[in-house]
Each structure stands twice: as structure tokens, then as C-alpha cells.
């Protein structure tokens, strides 16, 4: 059961679902449970986010 919930939370992170929405979907009463225990950011998601951030910070379009 917990593995399925972790998978669901990680997929929701990958889909850029707002943490409060994730919390409601997973039926947690505390956001910390959702974010600290169940969700995981993948390396690919972190890299993609850093690229997007770099694109926003780059002064040359």
C-alpha cells in the first residue's frame, strides 16, 4: 500500500501538481507527510527544472 502511495505522489510531483492538491488526493492531513515521506523528486525532474530556471535567468533570449 505505501509503495503505491509513494509512486502516486512521485508521479504527481512529475506532473507539477500543487502540493496541496497532492495532499488532498493522498488524503493526508498534513502537508509534511505528503512532501517528506511520500513524494520524491526524480533526477530528471530536477534537471528539467534547473534548465527552465536557467532559461529564465539567462539575460540573452
Amino acid at each position: 500500500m505505501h509503495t503505491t502511495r509513494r509512486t502516486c505522489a512521485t508521479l504527481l510531483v512529475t506532473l507539477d501538481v500543487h502540493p496541496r492538491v497532492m495532499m488532498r488526493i493522498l488524503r493526508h492531513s498534513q502537508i509534511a507527510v505528503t512532501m517528506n515521506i511520500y513524494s520524491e523528486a526524480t533526477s530528471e525532474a530536477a534537471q528539467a527544472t534547473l534548465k527552465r530556471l536557467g532559461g529564465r535567468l539567462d539575460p540573452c533570449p
Side-chain angles (χ1 to χ4, degrees), residues 1-49:
M1 172 91 172
H2 292 287
T3 302
T4 303
R5 290 171 70 87
R6 283 190 180 104
T7 301
C8 179
T10 300
L11 289 171
L12 292 171
V13 168
T14 302
L15 294 171
D16 291 327
V17 173
H18 191 280
R20 292 278 179 193
V21 175
M22 290 174 47
M23 182 180 87
R24 293 200 57 165
I25 290 170
L26 296 169
R27 301 181 54 122
H28 292 148
S29 61
Q30 298 178 5
I31 194 77
V33 172
T34 304
M35 300 310 293
N36 296 334
I37 297 173
Y38 284 94
S39 65
E40 182 178 311
T42 64
S43 295
E44 294 83 9
Q47 288 174 353
T49 300

